[in-house]
Amino acid sequence: MPDLTGRVSVVTGGNVGLGFRSALELCRNGADVVIACRRPDAGQAAITRILAEVPDARIRCIAMDLTDFTSVQRFADEFCEGYARLDILLNNAGVVNLEELRHTADGHEMHMATNHYGHFALTGHLFGLLCATPGARVVTVSSGGYRAGEIRFDDMDWRKRPYSRLKSYGTSKLANVLFMRALQRRFEAAGADAISLGAHPGLSGTERQQSIGMGGWLTRILASPVAIGVAPQLCAATCPTAQAGEYYGPRFGIRGAPRAEEIKPVGCDDDTGEKLWGLSAEVTGVSFG
């Protein structure tokens, strides 16, 4: 990672797992980091852990609930009051393979609401600042599960068909990839010196994977440590040679050194991506201007 002194980063879900490790490494390399997470006490606990390793870290927490669009706007407003630039927006937070169908207070399926709609709204509120920051990057964290996703515009909230946790999760991760590509087109249309990239960790031994992901014993055998699993998203966020629209993952699919990999055709369906963009703007009430 290069020296990041003077650069400002937001990490959603920066209190735990891949988000925590991302925040730690960004601080270690000199960045100012803002952790966005639902519970301020969890954010402060993460800050305490980071300061124990990087005593001079410039880090703070601002509360944000990705499933509450008012909370997302409050976060963006507070962030923009305190910072004049945003170099790295790491859309990392997410929920994984919820066993039962759950909806938010607004009636949206929980995977899609957390993993996609919330990050769409956050990026939209910060779009102007990103466009005004030379060399800004937005990294949206997806999963290999996007290959199994299917955007069903007639039933986005799973009210007409039997719920599948794997399909629902995969669809939200497909939305991440489609959003990453569509966002790059917005940056280009705006003439901004900013780029959009994607990443996935493969199989990483995070707290969520140990409990509700692929499962405890299998994860312990096959998964990379979090310190390794975080490499693709950090590479996308900081590598000087990373290019707009690239998607980083482990070399061997579930583990290995990070590399840019080819996105499967389902993730390159830009017509579906544009339709999803329009729906997301309607659902969140956020337009990118």
Side-chain angles (χ1 to χ4, degrees):
M1 292 174 64
D3 179 21
L4 301 174
T5 302
R7 301 188 190 183
V8 178
S9 176
V10 168
V11 181
T12 67
N15 60 303
V16 69
L18 295 166
F20 172 81
R21 190 73 192 197
S22 296
L24 172 62
E25 296 304 329
L26 291 168
C27 285
R28 201 191 302 278
N29 285 273
D32 288 56
V33 176
V34 176
I35 289 175
C37 65
R38 285 182 301 165
R39 292 172 38 227
D41 60 328
Q44 189 55 52
I47 289 172
T48 299
R49 291 171 60 198
I50 288 173
L51 289 173
E53 294 199 39
V54 188
D56 60 347
R58 292 180 296 276
I59 185 167
R60 62 179 293 201
C61 174
I62 302 177
M64 183 184 69
D65 181 350
L66 284 166
T67 69
D68 181 343
F69 302 138
T70 300
S71 173
V72 174
Q73 182 165 13
R74 281 198 302 265
F75 172 92
D77 290 344
E78 184 172 347
F79 178 84
C80 290
E81 288 176 3
Y83 298 88
R85 63 185 298 133
L86 176 54
D87 299 87
I88 301 168
L89 172 57
L90 185 49
N91 288 327
N92 161 85
V95 292
V96 181
N97 292 342
L98 299 175
E99 293 186 3
E100 297 181 355
L101 176 61
R102 293 173 54 189
H103 292 97
T104 68
D106 293 326
H108 306 300
E109 190 276 320
M110 189 64 73
H111 284 116
M112 185 63 69
T114 306
N115 299 350
H116 171 63
Y117 291 144
H119 285 122
F120 179 95
L122 176 63
T123 307
H125 288 308
L126 298 173
F127 186 73
L129 191 56
L130 289 161
C131 289
T133 304
R137 297 187 186 189
V138 178
V139 179
T140 301
V141 179
S142 182
S143 160
Y146 83 86
R147 300 177 181 86
E150 179 186 16
I151 307 295
R152 283 275 303 271
F153 290 104
D154 64 326
D155 190 23
M156 294 295 287
D157 297 318
W158 291 81
R159 298 184 185 277
K160 299 178 181 179
R161 53 188 161 145
Y163 173 70
S164 165
R165 66 174 185 168
L166 295 178
K167 192 73 154 182
S168 177
Y169 172 69
T171 297
S172 72
K173 296 288 102 179
L174 173 58
N176 290 153
V177 176
L178 295 173
F179 167 69
M180 179 271 288
R181 290 172 57 86
L183 177 61
Q184 180 58 37
R185 295 193 289 274
R186 268 65 185 181
F187 281 143
E188 293 171 0
D193 182 26
I195 60 174
S196 172
L197 307 96
H200 76 93
L203 184 60
S204 183
T206 64
E207 294 88 340
R208 288 192 181 96
Q209 281 286 13
Q210 294 286 356
S211 56
I212 60 175
M214 287 189 66
W217 70 269
L218 184 59
T219 298
R220 285 190 290 272
I221 293 173
L222 298 179
S224 298
V226 173
I228 302 299
V230 76
Q233 61 199 60
L234 288 177
C235 188
T238 68
C239 182
T241 59
Q243 301 293 311
E246 286 184 329
Y247 182 65
Y248 284 82
R251 181 172 298 276
F252 302 110
I254 62 172
R255 61 187 301 155
R259 63 164 184 163
E261 63 182 55
E262 182 180 357
I263 299 173
K264 300 301 182 183
V266 68
C268 297
D269 184 348
D270 293 337
D271 289 339
T272 297
E274 289 301 313
K275 188 174 181 180
L276 177 63
W277 187 283
L279 173 66
S280 302
E282 180 180 341
V283 165
T284 63
V286 175
S287 61
F288 286 58

